[in-house]
Amino acid sequence: MKKQTKRILTIIFLCGVLGLGYGLSRHFSHFNRIVLEKFEGKLWELPARVYARPLELYMGMPLVPAALEQELRLMRYLRVDHPVDMDVPGKFLRAGNTFTIFCRPFKFEDGESASEKIQVVLQGGKVELLKNLDSSTFPDMIRPDPVLVGSFYPAHHEDRVLVAKKDVPPLLVKTLLAVEDQGFYKHYGIQPSAVLRALIANIRKRKVVQGASTITQQLAKNFFLSNKKTLRRKIEEMFMALALEWNYEKDQILEAYMNEVNLGQDGKRAIHGFGLASSFYFGKAAKDLRTHEIALLVGLLKGPSLYDPRRNPERAMKRRNIVLEIMKKENLIRTDIAEQAIRASLDVTDDPPKGTTQFPAYLDMVRRQLLQEYREEDLRSAGLRIFTSFDPQVQSAAEKAVSSEISRIENARRLPKGKLQISAVVTSTGGNEVLAVIGGRSPRFKGFNRALDARRPIGSLMKPVVFLTALSHSERYTLISQVDDSYLSVSTETGKKWVPKNYDREYHGNIPLYFALAHSYNVATVRMGMDVGLSNVFETLRNMGFEQDVKPYPAALLGTVEMSSLEVAQMYQTLAAGGFYSPARTIRSVFRPDGASLQRYPLTVRQSLDPGPVYLLNKILQTVVVEGTARSLNKTLPEELGAAGKTGTTNDLKDSWFAGFTGNHLAVVWMGRDDNKSCGLTGSSGALQVWGKIMAGLSNTPLELPLPEEVEWAVIDSETGMRTDKACENAMAVPFLMGSAPTETVSCPEGEKREKTAEETKKSGSAFMRWLKEVFKWEKNTQKEPYQWEEDTRQKGH
């Protein structure tokens, strides 16, 4: 605090001259207290900023040029055409498959990275070369700054990026003072001579026509007072300015001013301070501003709306050049530099970073998870930095799939235009991190988030729960157990009869268990679910991660249970993870503005299902894709990917579902209508098509399921279900839980061959045989014994 005698005398003198008419000391104390309360507390309400996962570039990483350029643009990097234009961080140059990127500095979760120029060469869909051009080294990994997913703004929608005086060019400070307050470092908050001139002018006009405001007075007005031009407000402004000067150093006041001033508008969002304005107008940090850019920002102080360079470029150019003339007159820049700057274009970016998020459904999910531990006020004012698992490339693939497929399906099926809606969730199979969310057919528009809030009957997505429960009873059910798909009548609680029917309106008699699920037969599912017990089925559902209470009744076995896409993804993730449950999460960590860690969200895992039955079930879900209701995926995805999944269709074709996973990605897609009318689509003809398109746009790893210790393989005869020799015509290898494989054997005479009928082929498990050959590359002429196949598979899985 400054206590100079000269300052005290100045305050007393000025207050006396102004003749305030009330006790000097009492009122100065009042305004001084207001200033202290404001400046000693939280100066600004800073929005929370939500970031995507960082793009970690490494050798051999699957990446195509279009995807890298798209993510750089989402990071707000500017593409330039010539190396000479790579002058500041936040720019990139592309020459075919070679990218030169000037990375911005950034504070990551695990430390800060400096700005650096890097070169990335892509070849054959992979990263071929990584080079740090500054140090001429070849690092193992490079991380540019992540994509900003969005922000949670204060109620008044102010946004700013705080900067210190050292963070801006000295020329910006000098220009600001030359234009706004040349005596800033000499006066004590107000300039008596200027006040006197303004007072005379205002008296003559009988209204406030001149302000004579110093930077300190402008700061006082912005912080504490309204914009209403009255004599009383002007007097209060001067008292506030004097109080600011009494308590704080000049540089503190100047920094506060540079962060407070309004420099533009982005819809409802107000652009405050030079830190954010630099990014908003030029796509760069304040420290990288050039001469003509500094002049434009300082010129905006006179009227950010009037001189908006995007809406009023000619007016903005004229104002900028006036500032450049002042800079030249005050000897802040040489004449030749001033003339060059005057000839320069405005150089304002065409596509400014928007305050509204491009990814509203995902940001909505982040907000809901944060509100479980933070107050709404904290999200909107504490300046939190939130790091998430959001993957821009996965989100892009999902959005492209939705955009292309939903219109194609409507046209192909002659459905009413615009009525079909959709939701999708994509997660990682291992940690259940949410990578992308689609809330509707227009993913970029904020509105009803169907991925989280549209709870619809899941149809046949429920069947794996029934089959998993059955396979857990290995004394009764194995993959090749015969299940009954004949006519069934069930008495309901009301005394009525319920007769489940298959989609093809036929009954199929006794069929292998795996075949019943692969082809989604309703009657066999209900019969088996009632046999193992409804309560056991819904206990399995809870263990898979569905937390809502479900009334156990037979029709629920066919999917009358209502879920959101996120809840379905949670359920299937437990299958994809081999029986290990991890709660779906978007948030990795939360930091304060100063970089201090508030909270981290590590992966939490618990085993909720026995891995043996899950392994057997997942083999059937792979069969669904190879030969079952999802076989059309073979046109979109390579069979060696080994994808697993299940279609779902509800009564009257109201809901179309598909849930499935590869080695690293799980996705759930729902399609239907908001009015709950028939959408005219099955799971195969609707959601499956979008799911396949999403997965085709991702870098997937093959699904190789680790073989649990409690699973063994045996060679059995597909017709009798007994053990047989691997050379027999009907031999097939099948996994079993330990102790559940058949013990009886059947032999086949050497050379006995015969052509089987179509029906025999169907019932003998030809689909299963094909699946085994494709997934495990097992051939009849192998010299390995069954136990050796088992061991090889186990080692491969681990």
Side-chain angles (χ1 to χ4, degrees), residues 319-372:
R319 175 62 185 162
R320 182 202 69 176
N321 292 345
I322 289 174
V323 174
L324 286 169
E325 291 290 350
I326 295 174
M327 295 166 72
K328 181 177 70 173
K329 179 182 177 182
E330 297 296 325
N331 295 318
L332 302 182
I333 54 176
R334 300 196 313 265
T335 300
D336 60 325
I337 297 296
E339 292 174 352
Q340 182 181 355
I342 289 172
R343 291 194 301 269
S345 62
L346 289 175
D347 284 347
V348 174
T349 59
D350 295 328
D351 183 25
K354 296 294 184 183
T356 54
T357 179
Q358 297 183 71
F359 314 106
Y362 195 93
L363 192 65
D364 179 34
M365 185 173 176
V366 172
R367 176 180 172 275
R368 296 188 198 196
Q369 292 195 349
L370 285 169
L371 288 176
Q372 295 175 12

Side-chain angles (χ1 to χ4, degrees), residues 149-389:
V149 179
S151 300
F152 302 113
Y153 294 103
H156 43 71
H157 291 281
E158 286 187 6
D159 195 8
R160 53 176 51 80
V161 174
L162 298 183
V163 293
K165 185 181 176 183
K166 63 180 178 60
D167 297 327
V168 301
L171 181 60
L172 172 58
V173 176
K174 294 175 182 177
T175 304
L176 179 62
L177 297 180
V179 174
E180 292 295 316
D181 190 352
Q182 294 186 10
F184 176 72
Y185 281 101
K186 299 176 182 177
H187 63 65
Y188 296 110
I190 59 176
Q191 292 180 306
S193 58
V195 170
L196 184 59
R197 286 197 304 270
L199 183 60
I200 294 173
N202 293 339
I203 291 174
R204 286 175 176 173
K205 296 291 185 179
R206 296 185 179 182
K207 61 180 180 179
V208 177
V209 293
Q210 289 188 21
S213 292
T214 64
I215 280 179
T216 313
Q217 286 176 267
Q218 293 179 49
L219 180 63
K221 179 191 71 175
N222 291 342
F223 265 143
F224 307 108
L225 304 168
S226 69
N227 289 322
K228 189 175 181 181
K229 293 183 177 181
T230 66
L231 182 59
R232 179 182 179 84
R233 197 224 69 187
K234 197 66 183 176
I235 293 172
E236 290 175 345
E237 175 189 298
M238 288 187 284
F239 266 108
M240 294 288 188
L242 293 170
L244 283 169
E245 294 275 349
W246 173 267
N247 290 286
Y248 300 100
E249 299 288 342
K250 285 288 187 181
D251 283 352
Q252 290 177 286
I253 295 171
L254 184 59
E255 280 188 5
Y257 178 80
M258 288 192 299
N259 286 303
E260 173 59 24
V261 289
N262 182 277
L263 289 168
Q265 199 74 25
D266 172 32
K268 292 183 178 180
R269 181 177 67 140
I271 307 300
H272 283 260
F274 287 93
L276 181 60
S278 302
S279 171
F280 181 70
Y281 290 110
F282 304 112
K284 61 177 66 174
K287 67 182 181 63
D288 297 320
L289 290 170
R290 293 176 291 179
T291 300
H292 66 291
E293 295 167 340
I294 288 172
L296 176 61
L297 293 186
V298 173
L300 285 174
L301 292 171
K302 189 173 183 180
S305 177
L306 183 66
Y307 300 106
D308 186 319
R310 293 191 179 96
R311 292 189 300 171
N312 305 308
E314 293 182 3
R315 194 179 293 163
M317 178 81 77
K318 184 176 179 180
R319 175 62 185 162
R320 182 202 69 176
N321 292 345
I322 289 174
V323 174
L324 286 169
E325 291 290 350
I326 295 174
M327 295 166 72
K328 181 177 70 173
K329 179 182 177 182
E330 297 296 325
N331 295 318
L332 302 182
I333 54 176
R334 300 196 313 265
T335 300
D336 60 325
I337 297 296
E339 292 174 352
Q340 182 181 355
I342 289 172
R343 291 194 301 269
S345 62
L346 289 175
D347 284 347
V348 174
T349 59
D350 295 328
D351 183 25
K354 296 294 184 183
T356 54
T357 179
Q358 297 183 71
F359 314 106
Y362 195 93
L363 192 65
D364 179 34
M365 185 173 176
V366 172
R367 176 180 172 275
R368 296 188 198 196
Q369 292 195 349
L370 285 169
L371 288 176
Q372 295 175 12
E373 301 182 54
Y374 297 90
R375 299 178 304 166
E376 181 85 35
E377 179 185 350
D378 295 329
L379 299 186
R380 296 186 178 278
S381 65
L384 302 178
R385 301 172 72 239
I386 300 153
F387 294 91
T388 73
S389 55

Side-chain angles (χ1 to χ4, degrees), residues 33-161:
R33 185 174 66 255
I34 293 174
V35 167
L36 286 174
E37 287 176 355
K38 175 71 175 180
F39 270 72
E40 297 304 320
K42 185 168 61 177
L43 277 179
W44 296 283
E45 291 184 338
L46 300 175
R49 302 194 188 278
V50 180
Y51 295 97
R53 60 93 186 100
L55 177 64
E56 297 182 338
L57 300 168
Y58 57 88
M59 290 292 293
M61 172 187 180
L63 188 63
V64 296
L68 177 56
E69 177 164 347
Q70 181 184 36
E71 186 145 356
L72 287 170
R73 291 185 182 278
L74 285 173
M75 295 173 191
R76 315 308 306 181
Y77 275 66
L78 301 177
R79 180 172 178 173
V80 297
D81 297 323
H82 306 286
V84 69
D85 295 324
M86 295 282 290
D87 52 348
V88 294
K91 295 184 176 183
F92 76 96
L93 176 70
R94 178 181 175 182
N97 294 338
T98 300
F99 290 77
T100 303
I101 308 169
F102 200 162
C103 298
R104 303 185 189 100
F106 190 80
K107 290 183 179 179
F108 288 97
E109 302 171 73
D110 55 357
E112 187 168 358
S113 65
S115 64
E116 56 188 6
K117 280 187 179 179
I118 66 170
Q119 186 179 73
V120 184
V121 179
L122 306 178
Q123 197 67 39
K126 293 183 178 181
V127 176
E128 184 75 16
L129 175 72
L130 276 181
K131 185 177 182 180
N132 186 315
L133 298 176
D134 293 332
S135 60
S136 296
T137 58
F138 301 89
D140 295 329
M141 191 265 289
I142 295 175
R143 290 184 302 182
D145 50 304
V147 171
L148 178 65
V149 179
S151 300
F152 302 113
Y153 294 103
H156 43 71
H157 291 281
E158 286 187 6
D159 195 8
R160 53 176 51 80
V161 174

